Amino acid sequence: GVMPRKLDFSAYGSTNGGLWDLKGERMSVVSKGKDGTPLLVAALLARQKEEAGQIDPEARGMPLGLPALTALQVQIVESWVAQGRPQ
């Protein structure tokens, strides 16, 4: 199975609460990965790749078990993060 990360998008405050990393520590969903891409955006892009048959062992795609967001939807999330996550 997949280890739960306790990521909650039900409200603005809970989204900013972040998620649990593999070590059991809290981290921000907008912190940058190795390539500089925010983790949230990387997970959305990973889901697109999964649907294309390209599995990335470093990133689990989201939304898990649902269709990938469109390129435009991912761009909106990326812009929101770049603008400082305004409410």
Side-chain angles (χ1 to χ4, degrees):
V2 177
M3 181 180 142
R5 299 296 192 96
K6 309 281 185 178
L7 181 57
D8 181 1
F9 287 112
S10 65
Y12 180 79
S14 57
T15 301
N16 285 331
L19 59 98
W20 295 101
D21 68 11
L22 295 174
K23 298 174 191 170
E25 298 175 9
R26 271 276 182 218
M27 66 182 295
S28 171
V29 295
V30 296
S31 60
K32 297 190 181 203
K34 295 174 188 174
D35 67 354
T37 303
L39 297 176
L40 176 58
V41 175
L44 297 173
L45 294 171
R47 183 70 183 119
Q48 290 177 337
K49 291 177 185 174
E50 289 169 0
E51 285 187 346
Q54 303 167 5
I55 306 300
D56 180 356
E58 297 292 318
R60 183 74 172 167
M62 65 178 279
L64 185 62
L66 296 171
L69 272 63
T70 66
L72 177 59
Q73 291 169 321
V74 174
Q75 179 59 48
I76 290 168
V77 172
E78 192 169 23
S79 295
W80 175 72
V81 171
Q83 293 169 12
R85 303 179 321 272
Q87 224 171 350

